[in-house]
Amino acid sequence: MDFRERLQKAANRGAATRATREDAKQAEAISEEESRRRHSQHRLSLSEHLEACLKQLADNFPGFRYETIVDERGWGAAVSRDDLGIERGKRKNFFSRLVLLIEPFNEFRVLSVAAKGAVRNKESFTRGHYEPLAEVDEDRFRELIELWVLDYAEDYAAA
C-alpha cells in the first residue's frame, strides 16, 4: 500500500469520526418542544421563588407595594414605593423599585433572569444571569435571586 492509499484511508476514517461525533451531538441536542417545556418548568418554579423573596422584602420595608408582572418582557414581580422628602423647603418625591423577571423563551434556548432596581430616583441596580436550558442549575438561580434581593435591601437601607 503506497502513501496515497494510506492518506485516502486516513481521510475516510477522519470523515467517519466526524460524522459519528455530529450524530452524537444531534442526539444529545434537545428538541424545540423539549426546550420550551424545560423553560416553562423552570420559569414556574423560579417565579414562585422570586415572588416569595420580593414579598418578604416588601414586608420588611413598610411602604413597598408588591405587583406581579406578566408581559412581553417576561414573568416575574416587582416592589415599589414612593417617598416624600423636603429639601431646602421644597417638596421632593423619591421613587424606589426592584423588578425581577424571567425572560421569555428565545431562539438561543437559554433560561435568563434579570433584575433592575432604583433607589431614591437613581437607577443603580442591574443584574442578569443566564444558562443554556440543557444545563440549568435551579439552585444557582435561587441563590442569585436571593442575593440580588439582599443586595437591593442593603442599598435601599443605606440610602
Side-chain angles (χ1 to χ4, degrees):
M1 182 180 310
D2 70 352
F3 179 74
R4 184 178 296 239
E5 290 172 345
R6 291 189 344 214
L7 181 62
Q8 185 61 42
K9 284 185 179 188
N12 290 341
R13 284 192 310 269
T17 302
R18 183 182 71 236
T20 302
R21 190 171 46 236
E22 287 174 356
D23 289 344
K25 281 184 182 179
Q26 286 180 344
E28 288 178 21
I30 54 179
S31 69
E32 176 89 11
E33 184 176 317
E34 176 66 11
S35 294
R36 287 185 184 280
R37 187 192 65 73
R38 284 186 183 187
H39 186 275
S40 180
Q41 176 185 0
H42 293 306
R43 175 183 52 84
L44 290 172
S45 174
L46 292 173
S47 291
E48 291 173 2
H49 186 67
L50 67 85
E51 288 174 0
C53 289
L54 286 178
K55 284 179 181 176
Q56 289 180 40
L57 177 73
D59 291 343
N60 194 53
F61 292 101
F64 271 99
R65 294 176 311 279
Y66 171 84
E67 66 179 286
T68 301
I69 299 174
V70 178
D71 61 19
E72 70 279 348
R73 296 176 297 151
W75 297 266
V79 291
S80 61
R81 70 180 281 159
D82 293 314
D83 293 309
L84 178 64
I86 306 291
E87 286 186 7
R88 296 185 201 124
K90 290 192 173 189
R91 177 181 148 166
K92 183 149 182 170
N93 292 330
F94 296 105
F95 177 75
S96 298
R97 180 177 174 95
L98 176 62
V99 178
L100 291 171
L101 287 176
I102 299 167
E103 297 175 353
F105 180 79
N106 60 42
E107 70 272 11
F108 303 112
R109 295 184 185 184
V110 297
L111 182 66
S112 178
V113 177
K116 198 170 193 178
V119 176
R120 296 182 60 88
N121 296 347
K122 293 180 183 169
E123 189 174 304
S124 59
F125 192 88
T126 304
R127 307 283 191 280
H129 181 72
Y130 66 91
E131 291 180 9
L133 283 169
E135 302 168 13
V136 169
D137 178 4
E138 269 194 36
D139 291 333
R140 176 73 178 137
F141 276 95
R142 289 176 194 280
E143 290 171 6
L144 285 172
I145 289 167
E146 291 171 5
L147 179 64
W148 296 344
V149 172
L150 294 172
D151 286 348
Y152 180 82
E154 186 176 333
D155 289 351
Y156 180 79

